[in-house]
């Protein structure tokens, strides 16, 4: 596309082809990004609802079966299945946390007490550390208040879950 302009008796020709094509490509790329973000959001919802919930349900059913009294061989197989599901759950939670970090609206900060975050992580994992005969102690010299996102709880939950999983039974 060319444009002819008259200015002070001088005739000039300006070729807008490059600019128009760049605008078209930018519009196409923006549409592609918007669609990609919709799929990413959908994937996050699928992880949260359609994958994590069944993992929790199956883990709980397996634990109930184990606690009703089974042979030592069955107990061992159930424990291995529960551990495998815990690893799958950790991967799904990490993926969900990553997707949430990519959403700017989730990065809003607020005043958070680290002691409360760590205590909430500890309490949420109570069943796991009690089954291993472990103890979790929180010893902060003073309250530590930080500006951060509520997703920090997930960070401490993941750290504590790894410590429980890899720590020896009976440890603190």
């Amino acid at each position: 596309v060319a444009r002819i302009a008259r200015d002070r008796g001088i005739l000039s020709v300006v070729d807008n082809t490059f600019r128009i094509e760049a605008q078209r490509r930018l519009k196409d790329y923006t549409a592609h990004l918007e669609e990609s973000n919709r799929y990413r959001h959908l994937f996050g919802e699928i992880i949260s609802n359609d994958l994590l919930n069944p993992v929790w349900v199956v883990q709980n059913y397996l634990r109930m079966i184990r606690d009703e009294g089974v042979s030592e061989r069955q107990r061992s197989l159930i424990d291995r299945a529960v551990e495998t599901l815990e690893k799958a759950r950790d991967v799904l939670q990490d993926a969900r946390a990553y997707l949430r970090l990519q959403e700017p609206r989730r990065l809003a900060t607020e005043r958070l007490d680290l002691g409360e975050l760590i205590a909430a992580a500890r309490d949420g994992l109570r069943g796991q550390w009690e089954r291993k005969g472990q103890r979790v102690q929180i010893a902060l010299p003073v309250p530590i208040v930080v500006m951060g996102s509520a997703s920090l709880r997930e960070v401490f939950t993941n750290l504590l879950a790894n410590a429980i999983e890899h720590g020896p039974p009976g440890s603190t």
Side-chain angles (χ1 to χ4, degrees):
V1 175
R3 181 177 70 196
I4 301 174
R6 293 184 188 261
D7 185 19
R8 297 186 190 162
I10 299 174
L11 180 66
S12 64
V13 177
V14 178
D15 186 356
N16 289 326
T17 306
F18 178 78
R19 185 178 60 83
I20 292 170
E21 178 61 21
Q23 287 174 333
R24 186 196 61 76
R25 285 191 319 226
L26 181 61
K27 184 178 178 182
D28 290 347
Y29 186 67
T30 301
H32 173 73
L33 285 176
E34 288 171 353
E35 181 180 14
S36 176
N37 281 336
R38 280 193 300 275
Y39 283 124
R40 186 178 49 77
H41 179 73
L42 177 62
F43 182 65
E45 292 300 314
I46 289 170
I47 287 174
S48 294
N49 300 318
D50 299 339
L51 296 175
L52 276 172
N53 288 341
V55 167
W56 283 104
V57 169
V58 171
Q59 277 184 304
N60 288 330
Y61 283 145
L62 287 170
R63 288 181 179 126
M64 288 184 336
I65 292 169
R66 181 191 62 204
D67 294 343
E68 287 180 2
V70 293
S71 72
E72 197 56 40
R73 168 97 173 112
Q74 291 168 327
R75 175 177 294 280
S76 173
L77 292 172
I78 290 171
D79 286 344
R80 287 190 359 221
V82 168
E83 287 174 15
T84 301
L85 287 170
E86 285 174 358
K87 290 176 184 172
R89 186 197 67 219
D90 290 345
V91 168
L92 291 171
Q93 286 175 327
D94 289 347
R96 182 180 63 179
Y98 175 77
L99 289 171
R100 286 182 177 168
L101 286 174
Q102 299 303 310
E103 297 177 16
R105 69 179 195 269
R106 299 244 186 197
L107 294 178
T109 59
E110 58 186 285
R111 292 177 61 85
L112 300 169
D113 182 325
L114 287 185
E116 290 177 9
L117 289 175
I118 296 168
R122 176 201 59 209
D123 295 344
L125 295 169
R126 181 176 302 279
Q128 291 179 27
W129 55 267
E130 284 182 343
R131 274 192 295 283
K132 286 188 77 174
Q134 296 170 324
R135 292 183 315 274
V136 178
Q137 293 178 331
I138 301 172
L140 298 175
V142 294
I144 300 174
V145 178
V146 298
M147 292 299 292
S149 167
S151 63
L152 277 177
R153 178 177 180 214
E154 291 182 41
V155 170
F156 288 109
T157 299
N158 287 340
L159 288 170
L160 187 54
N162 286 335
I164 292 167
E165 180 180 348
H166 300 291
S171 60
T172 300

